[in-house]
mmCIF file of all heavy atoms in Angstrom:
data_model
loop_
_atom_site.group_PDB
_atom_site.id
_atom_site.type_symbol
_atom_site.label_atom_id
_atom_site.label_comp_id
_atom_site.label_asym_id
_atom_site.label_seq_id
_atom_site.Cartn_x
_atom_site.Cartn_y
_atom_site.Cartn_z
ATOM 1 N N ARG A 16 -22.040 -14.284 -4.591
ATOM 2 C CA ARG A 16 -21.670 -13.003 -5.033
ATOM 3 C C ARG A 16 -22.095 -11.857 -4.139
ATOM 4 O O ARG A 16 -21.346 -11.035 -3.678
ATOM 5 C CB ARG A 16 -22.128 -12.699 -6.535
ATOM 6 C CG ARG A 16 -21.791 -11.276 -6.885
ATOM 7 C CD ARG A 16 -22.141 -10.954 -8.331
ATOM 8 N NE ARG A 16 -22.042 -9.481 -8.716
ATOM 9 C CZ ARG A 16 -20.979 -8.998 -8.991
ATOM 10 N NH1 ARG A 16 -19.817 -9.660 -9.023
ATOM 11 N NH2 ARG A 16 -20.860 -7.637 -9.269
ATOM 12 N N LYS A 71 23.766 3.015 11.003
ATOM 13 C CA LYS A 71 24.798 3.793 11.692
ATOM 14 C C LYS A 71 24.180 4.663 12.686
ATOM 15 O O LYS A 71 24.660 4.777 13.895
ATOM 16 C CB LYS A 71 25.357 4.874 10.585
ATOM 17 C CG LYS A 71 26.497 5.736 11.233
ATOM 18 C CD LYS A 71 26.895 6.695 10.077
ATOM 19 C CE LYS A 71 28.108 7.547 10.701
ATOM 20 N NZ LYS A 71 27.683 8.432 11.892
ATOM 21 N N GLU A 154 1.030 10.856 -20.462
ATOM 22 C CA GLU A 154 1.275 11.639 -19.236
ATOM 23 C C GLU A 154 -0.053 11.593 -18.345
ATOM 24 O O GLU A 154 0.034 11.987 -17.187
ATOM 25 C CB GLU A 154 1.540 12.986 -19.713
ATOM 26 C CG GLU A 154 0.404 13.832 -20.261
ATOM 27 C CD GLU A 154 0.160 13.661 -21.735
ATOM 28 O OE1 GLU A 154 0.809 12.598 -22.299
ATOM 29 O OE2 GLU A 154 -0.693 14.394 -22.430
ATOM 30 N N ASN A 155 -1.217 11.116 -18.860
ATOM 31 C CA ASN A 155 -2.357 11.140 -18.072
ATOM 32 C C ASN A 155 -2.707 9.744 -17.471
ATOM 33 O O ASN A 155 -3.653 9.585 -16.799
ATOM 34 C CB ASN A 155 -3.477 11.715 -18.824
ATOM 35 C CG ASN A 155 -3.402 13.189 -19.123
ATOM 36 O OD1 ASN A 155 -3.189 13.984 -18.160
ATOM 37 N ND2 ASN A 155 -3.540 13.525 -20.220
ATOM 38 N N LEU A 190 -0.901 -5.662 -1.367
ATOM 39 C CA LEU A 190 0.330 -6.079 -0.686
ATOM 40 C C LEU A 190 0.336 -7.540 -0.523
ATOM 41 O O LEU A 190 -0.440 -8.212 -0.149
ATOM 42 C CB LEU A 190 0.240 -5.497 0.805
ATOM 43 C CG LEU A 190 1.326 -5.962 1.795
ATOM 44 C CD1 LEU A 190 2.676 -5.329 1.340
ATOM 45 C CD2 LEU A 190 0.986 -5.531 3.122
ATOM 46 N N ASP A 194 4.786 -14.324 4.560
ATOM 47 C CA ASP A 194 3.724 -15.248 5.036
ATOM 48 C C ASP A 194 4.213 -15.884 6.351
ATOM 49 O O ASP A 194 3.457 -16.749 6.811
ATOM 50 C CB ASP A 194 3.326 -16.263 4.025
ATOM 51 C CG ASP A 194 4.438 -17.051 3.505
ATOM 52 O OD1 ASP A 194 5.649 -16.830 3.946
ATOM 53 O OD2 ASP A 194 4.369 -17.840 2.557
ATOM 54 N N ILE A 217 -3.383 -11.702 -0.725
ATOM 55 C CA ILE A 217 -3.141 -10.375 -1.090
ATOM 56 C C ILE A 217 -3.821 -9.433 -0.168
ATOM 57 O O ILE A 217 -5.116 -9.526 -0.202
ATOM 58 C CB ILE A 217 -3.412 -10.121 -2.580
ATOM 59 C CG1 ILE A 217 -2.689 -10.974 -3.562
ATOM 60 C CG2 ILE A 217 -3.234 -8.559 -2.894
ATOM 61 C CD1 ILE A 217 -1.149 -10.717 -3.679
ATOM 62 N N TYR A 233 -15.024 5.377 2.536
ATOM 63 C CA TYR A 233 -13.899 4.436 2.653
ATOM 64 C C TYR A 233 -12.677 5.323 3.135
ATOM 65 O O TYR A 233 -12.059 6.012 2.346
ATOM 66 C CB TYR A 233 -13.500 3.722 1.300
ATOM 67 C CG TYR A 233 -14.525 2.899 0.659
ATOM 68 C CD1 TYR A 233 -14.372 2.415 -0.685
ATOM 69 C CD2 TYR A 233 -15.760 2.583 1.334
ATOM 70 C CE1 TYR A 233 -15.370 1.537 -1.250
ATOM 71 C CE2 TYR A 233 -16.614 1.773 0.658
ATOM 72 C CZ TYR A 233 -16.368 1.196 -0.588
ATOM 73 O OH TYR A 233 -17.326 0.423 -1.197
ATOM 74 N N GLN A 241 6.527 -2.874 12.422
ATOM 75 C CA GLN A 241 7.358 -3.041 13.599
ATOM 76 C C GLN A 241 8.758 -3.712 13.186
ATOM 77 O O GLN A 241 8.650 -4.607 12.442
ATOM 78 C CB GLN A 241 6.638 -3.828 14.691
ATOM 79 C CG GLN A 241 5.404 -3.260 15.277
ATOM 80 C CD GLN A 241 5.667 -2.188 16.165
ATOM 81 O OE1 GLN A 241 6.097 -1.006 15.813
ATOM 82 N NE2 GLN A 241 5.567 -2.390 17.459
#
Side-chain angles (χ1 to χ4, degrees):
R16 174 178 171 79
K71 182 181 183 302
E154 71 278 7
N155 290 309
L190 172 67
D194 56 7
I217 299 292
Y233 295 175
Q241 298 283 74

